Amino acid sequence: MVGRQETRMQAVDDVSASFPTTSRNRVRRLHERGSYDHAAVFSVLDAGLLCHVAYTFDGQPYCTPTIHWREGDRLYWHGSSASRMLRQLRGGTPACLTVSHLDGLVLARSGFNHSANYRSAMCFGTARIIDEPGAKLKALAGVVDRFYPGRSETLRPISAQEAKATTVIGMRIEEASAKVRAKGVGDDEEDYGHPVWAGVIPVRTVIGAAEPCPRLLPGIERPGNLAGYAEGERLDAALTEAQLAYEGGL
Amino acid sequence: MVGRQETRMQAVDDVSASFPTTSRNRVRRLHERGSYDHAAVFSVLDAGLLCHVAYTFDGQPYCTPTIHWREGDRLYWHGSSASRMLRQLRGGTPACLTVSHLDGLVLARSGFNHSANYRSAMCFGTARIIDEPGAKLKALAGVVDRFYPGRSETLRPISAQEAKATTVIGMRIEEASAKVRAKGVGDDEEDYGHPVWAGVIPVRTVIGAAEPCPRLLPGIERPGNLAGYAEGERLDAALTEAQLAYEGGL
């Protein structure tokens, strides 16, 4: 078992690298679906905007939904401003950030073999509030540009009061695992003769027709940096593309 | 502040009722988006199949994605079989189960007013393994029938070995809150003159064309209880409809 101090020393700038496997991130159930590769973990993280973060305060776990973004092996997210929680985040607190995508319902011939197709990534580390003004302003531009590359410079600047009212939390990924199921029905051999419908019902998250703000100035068109968010496109593909454009511009 | 012992005594079989508000579930950030009504919380829970559960083991929070289902004020989910965790669940452990739906990206004229449309519900209680054989078999049929009403009786029965290999966790919702944002861009009044595109890019999770198992017996048609999962339909609507049918049959 690798201790936490040792894992902190691991270099993670090699994209072909893997996260260390410890008792914290080892995939135990259906471990053949698991991976510790950076590429596998990052691809799940980058395909999503919504994550869930687990923290513990006074022995009570909280599972908080929020928006996350990634720069290298660092994750950022907007914090719940519940002040009691924030005080503990200031000194750093263990956290687990998870992103999951549902890809399909799997209907088998037995209850036991019913399943879902999905992609998920669990990331472990120490969550800390980003307090330093320069790092915070960079992160506040990052959350816009990571989803809509180049957009932050087209907006009016962030005010000091807004920066103060926003909580940004950062976490270096110390350990992580990705888990994927992407296949058809897996029934027991003796069950294939059972006369019931079985199959996969795919599920995908797609983009709808944009609803422009009714108060848009005349002549303002939708900019090219939103081209990936076209009606009918998959959200995961648009978010992945935006991340690549963002990383290219860093 | 209402203590945990008091909240346990609260009756929750009145669908017009609300969950108690305590320091644990009070919505702190943007509290005008929050609700403690059973109906509001249940509607978010019932519209989803995928949830995230936060537990704490040895001081480390875990945010685990899984499939949940609901009967009244009780939530059930499949457990991670990580044995170290399961031992602690046997005696009951504080947990927080959250379901979130992303409904749109909100692009404003300032970084600060960028947002997302979403529906989320956070539920607090004590998670326990369902060990008693009768309750466990009922729950294992429930997870099939809640999503596909009436399906469990068309499958071959669950074997004793399968029941043993499956971990079902249950939790009575002691406290909960729902949070919803469902509106257009909310810019500061002085920003509406800023010349940048702003608007909402809606997002929805939809059902694709079913992929029947290649080994279906000849003549087996897709049954009527899957009619709600038709291509192009919204997953949240299909899941909500299935829950209503399931509750009607209980």
Side-chain angles (χ1 to χ4, degrees):
Chain A
M1 185 176 132
V2 182
R4 287 183 60 184
Q5 288 310 312
E6 286 163 90
T7 69
R8 281 174 189 277
M9 290 157 56
Q10 192 107 355
V12 285
D13 51 358
D14 173 1
V15 291
S16 68
S18 291
F19 289 104
T21 314
T22 74
S23 63
R24 191 162 63 161
N25 69 324
R26 188 178 303 119
V27 175
R28 290 155 205 268
R29 186 161 177 274
L30 301 172
H31 56 83
E32 72 282 4
R33 296 181 187 167
S35 167
Y36 308 96
D37 296 349
H38 291 179
V41 170
F42 294 167
S43 77
V44 174
L45 294 173
D46 296 349
L49 170 137
L50 186 69
C51 71
H52 289 78
V53 186
Y55 317 92
T56 308
F57 298 109
D58 300 331
Q60 171 68 52
Y62 290 80
C63 182
T64 304
T66 187
I67 290 173
H68 72 283
W69 66 105
R70 181 181 73 81
E71 286 183 17
D73 65 343
R74 284 179 197 277
L75 288 168
Y76 297 93
W77 63 93
H78 280 150
S80 148
S81 301
S83 58
R84 184 180 49 140
M85 296 196 186
L86 285 194
R87 275 198 297 276
Q88 297 187 52
L89 281 176
R90 237 165 253 287
T93 195
C96 175
L97 184 149
T98 299
V99 174
S100 308
H101 308 281
L102 179 65
D103 293 325
L105 316 177
V106 180
L107 289 83
R109 293 164 180 86
S110 64
F112 188 73
N113 285 320
H114 275 63
S115 188
N117 281 336
Y118 63 89
R119 291 161 287 155
S120 67
M122 294 177 71
C123 301
F124 298 90
T126 302
R128 283 194 176 80
I129 291 183
I130 308 289
D131 260 338
E132 193 275 311
K136 186 168 180 179
L137 274 178
K138 187 170 169 290
L140 290 176
V143 63
V144 171
D145 290 331
R146 174 269 176 270
F147 295 110
Y148 320 112
R151 183 169 173 84
S152 72
E153 63 183 25
T154 71
L155 305 173
R156 67 114 172 110
I158 299 166
S159 73
Q161 194 183 353
E162 287 174 342
K164 199 174 164 187
T166 309
T167 306
V168 179
I169 297 163
M171 179 175 94
R172 185 179 155 266
I173 307 173
E174 295 168 6
E175 293 149 32
S177 63
K179 211 169 161 185
V180 174
R181 188 193 193 278
K183 58 181 185 183
V185 176
D187 264 312
D188 296 353
E189 193 51 43
E190 60 269 31
D191 288 340
Y192 282 98
H194 187 77
V196 67
W197 190 89
V200 175
I201 298 177
V203 165
R204 63 184 186 283
T205 300
V206 296
I207 292 160
E211 297 160 1
C213 174
R215 293 177 65 180
L216 272 194
L217 292 184
I220 296 279
E221 299 289 335
R222 202 170 129 161
N225 58 1
L226 299 180
Y229 295 92
E231 186 178 357
E233 293 295 312
R234 290 182 63 119
L235 178 67
D236 52 6
L239 292 172
T240 301
E241 190 186 313
Q243 174 77 18
L244 286 172
Y246 177 58
E247 286 176 1
L250 276 181
Chain B
M1 185 174 134
V2 182
R4 286 184 60 184
Q5 289 309 315
E6 287 164 89
T7 69
R8 281 173 190 277
M9 290 156 55
Q10 193 105 356
V12 285
D13 50 358
D14 174 3
V15 291
S16 69
S18 291
F19 290 104
T21 314
T22 74
S23 64
R24 191 162 62 161
N25 69 324
R26 187 177 305 117
V27 175
R28 290 154 205 267
R29 186 161 177 274
L30 301 171
H31 56 82
E32 72 283 5
R33 297 181 186 167
S35 167
Y36 308 96
D37 297 347
H38 291 179
V41 170
F42 293 168
S43 77
V44 175
L45 295 173
D46 297 349
L49 169 137
L50 186 69
C51 72
H52 289 78
V53 186
Y55 317 93
T56 308
F57 297 109
D58 300 331
Q60 171 68 52
Y62 290 81
C63 182
T64 304
T66 188
I67 290 172
H68 72 283
W69 65 106
R70 182 181 72 81
E71 285 183 17
D73 66 342
R74 283 177 198 277
L75 287 169
Y76 297 93
W77 64 91
H78 279 148
S80 150
S81 302
S83 59
R84 184 180 49 141
M85 297 195 185
L86 285 194
R87 276 197 296 276
Q88 297 188 51
L89 281 176
R90 236 164 254 288
T93 195
C96 174
L97 183 149
T98 299
V99 174
S100 307
H101 309 280
L102 179 66
D103 293 326
L105 317 178
V106 181
L107 288 83
R109 292 162 181 86
S110 64
F112 188 73
N113 285 320
H114 276 64
S115 188
N117 281 336
Y118 63 89
R119 292 161 285 154
S120 68
M122 294 177 72
C123 301
F124 297 91
T126 302
R128 283 193 178 81
I129 292 183
I130 309 290
D131 260 338
E132 194 274 310
K136 187 168 180 179
L137 274 179
K138 186 169 168 291
L140 290 177
V143 62
V144 171
D145 290 332
R146 175 269 175 268
F147 295 110
Y148 319 112
R151 183 169 174 85
S152 71
E153 63 184 25
T154 70
L155 305 174
R156 68 116 172 108
I158 298 167
S159 73
Q161 194 183 354
E162 286 173 343
K164 200 174 163 186
T166 309
T167 305
V168 179
I169 297 163
M171 179 176 94
R172 185 180 156 264
I173 307 173
E174 295 169 7
E175 294 149 32
S177 63
K179 211 168 161 185
V180 174
R181 188 193 193 278
K183 59 181 184 183
V185 176
D187 264 312
D188 296 352
E189 193 52 42
E190 59 270 30
D191 287 340
Y192 282 98
H194 187 76
V196 67
W197 190 90
V200 174
I201 298 177
V203 165
R204 63 185 187 283
T205 299
V206 296
I207 293 159
E211 297 160 1
C213 175
R215 293 178 66 181
L216 272 193
L217 293 184
I220 295 280
E221 299 289 336
R222 203 170 129 160
N225 58 2
L226 299 181
Y229 295 93
E231 186 177 357
E233 293 297 313
R234 290 182 64 118
L235 178 68
D236 53 6
L239 293 172
T240 300
E241 190 186 313
Q243 174 77 19
L244 286 172
Y246 176 58
E247 286 176 359
L250 276 182

